């Protein structure tokens, strides 16, 4: 979710939008890019996940858009950076560390349903804009460049092959202690792609002005360095036009 870096000087706020499908390596590169550029970081997916967790705990009907959007409005979200913890960006829900819980299979299986409601999206988009207000921020998600910040000066659409995305997610899940087969993860990746890109409200799609970044076969460092270079070039181009 939101991570403010200490000691960053106030300057004109700038948003870097990073969208793409699940498992493309988007979160890893978004965090590292934010660190490299000294910018804040917002993981919008974690917000949809935290809401799903809260709804499951409170036994809210996941088809009840109005109750879900009220829950979203009342939810107290935050993050804290804990160096040495894996991952260091911890997700807080009402002060409780739910970093692991929001990645559970149950939440992963239900989050598409929760995030498909227009009322829920309207509430979380409002929160996302409020969190980014006046800040330089790398914001990652599915609809950041298209809906949340359509005027962001720099947009990337990060993707990778289905096989590679399934392998990465599988490794991450095993590392987090979830026993699951590669084939089950692959099926889940395909299923979520379909749900995310065919939903009626704010579907996953590349903004016309977003640069396509294919991470298949590339290291994290290669991708992050490439993105940082493109950000600098784009900012220089924009400054040249002024
Ligand atoms: O990136 P992730 O896997 O943590 O995202 C979790 C879910 O939330 C995913 O199914 C898509 C949804 N999502 C969304 O609809 N809009 C966003 N901006 C971010 C995530």
């Amino acid at each position: 979710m939101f991570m403010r870096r200490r000691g960053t000087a106030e300057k004109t706020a700038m948003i870097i939008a990073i969208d793409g499908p699940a498992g493309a390596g988007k979160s890893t590169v978004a965090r590292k890019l934010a660190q490299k550029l000294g910018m804040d970081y917002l993981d919008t997916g974690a917000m949809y996940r935290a809401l799903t967790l809260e709804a499951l705990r409170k036994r809210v009907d996941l088809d009840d858009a109005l109750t879900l959007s009220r829950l979203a409005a009342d939810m107290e979200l935050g993050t804290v950076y804990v160096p040495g913890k894996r991952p260091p960006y911890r997700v807080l829900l009402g002060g409780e560390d739910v970093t692991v819980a929001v990645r559970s299979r149950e939440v992963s299986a239900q989050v598409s349903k929760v995030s498909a409601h227009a009322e829920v999206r309207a509430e979380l988009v409002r929160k996302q804009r409020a969190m980014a207000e006046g800040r330089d921020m790398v914001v990652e998600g599915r609809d950041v460049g298209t809906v949340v910040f359509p005027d962001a000066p720099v947009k990337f659409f990060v993707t990778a092959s289905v096989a590679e995305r399934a392998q990465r997610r599988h490794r991450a899940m095993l590392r987090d202690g979830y026993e699951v087969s590669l084939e089950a993860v692959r099926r889940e990746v395909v299923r979520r792609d379909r749900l995310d890109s065919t939903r009626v409200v704010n579907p996953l799609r590349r903004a016309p002005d977003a640069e396509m970044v294919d991470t298949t076969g590339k290291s994290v460092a290669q991708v992050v360095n490439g993105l940082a270079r493109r950000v600098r070039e784009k900012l220089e181009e924009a400054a040249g036009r002024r």
Side-chain angles (χ1 to χ4, degrees):
M1 233 161 303
F2 169 63
M3 183 61 217
R4 175 159 225 171
R5 286 176 56 87
R6 267 163 301 177
T8 38
E10 287 299 325
K11 45 187 180 318
T12 318
M14 186 185 66
I15 299 291
I16 296 178
I18 302 192
D19 292 304
K26 197 177 35 159
S27 295
T28 311
V29 299
R31 283 181 198 132
K32 290 200 187 283
L33 183 66
Q35 279 168 353
K36 199 176 171 83
L37 301 176
M39 294 173 74
D40 294 334
Y41 164 69
L42 181 67
D43 173 4
T44 61
M47 297 173 72
Y48 289 94
R49 286 173 176 276
L51 174 61
T52 305
L53 177 69
E54 184 81 335
L56 290 170
R57 282 178 172 178
K58 297 205 157 139
R59 301 188 189 284
V60 171
D61 175 2
L62 301 188
D63 291 318
D64 182 351
L66 197 64
T67 306
L68 286 171
S69 67
R70 289 207 183 110
L71 203 60
D74 293 344
M75 218 171 34
E76 222 183 275
L77 291 172
T79 69
V80 59
Y81 185 80
V82 186
K85 268 231 174 193
R86 280 182 82 128
Y89 295 93
R90 313 302 291 179
V91 180
L92 301 180
L93 175 62
E96 178 195 347
D97 186 335
V98 293
T99 316
V100 175
V102 298
R103 305 253 145 225
S104 72
R105 287 173 80 176
E106 206 186 356
V107 169
S108 298
Q110 302 296 344
V111 63
S112 292
K113 197 172 201 176
V114 171
S115 60
H117 298 298
E119 296 84 345
V120 165
R121 302 201 69 86
E123 186 51 44
L124 289 187
V125 166
R126 195 189 60 72
K127 272 194 151 92
Q128 288 153 18
R129 290 183 181 145
M131 281 164 143
E133 178 102 41
R135 299 191 161 124
D136 288 338
M137 198 179 252
V138 175
V139 186
E140 65 144 304
R142 303 290 193 286
D143 59 347
V144 179
T146 51
V147 175
V148 190
F149 297 110
D151 298 331
V154 185
K155 300 179 186 177
F156 296 111
F157 193 87
V158 177
T159 191
S161 69
V162 168
E164 177 136 343
R165 288 159 49 210
Q167 270 165 13
R168 286 180 190 160
R169 192 141 275 222
H170 185 233
R171 270 198 303 271
M173 288 183 83
L174 292 184
R175 201 175 49 226
D176 291 343
Y178 291 106
E179 284 293 328
V180 59
S181 73
L182 176 60
E183 180 49 27
V185 176
R186 197 193 65 79
R187 278 201 303 268
E188 181 61 24
V189 165
V190 172
R191 188 182 80 92
R192 277 224 279 143
D193 277 1
R194 198 183 54 240
L195 291 173
D196 288 346
S197 47
T198 58
R199 76 166 166 245
V200 180
V201 195
N202 305 8
L204 169 67
R205 62 181 176 80
R206 184 172 75 86
D209 53 344
E211 282 190 27
M212 194 79 167
V213 180
D214 188 344
T215 66
T216 309
K218 294 200 188 114
S219 71
V220 171
Q222 270 175 317
V223 176
V224 173
N225 289 337
L227 294 190
R229 198 168 43 242
R230 283 303 293 143
V231 171
R232 287 191 199 106
E233 284 168 6
K234 283 190 163 243
L235 294 182
E236 278 162 22
E237 280 166 27
R241 278 199 299 272
R242 276 203 293 269

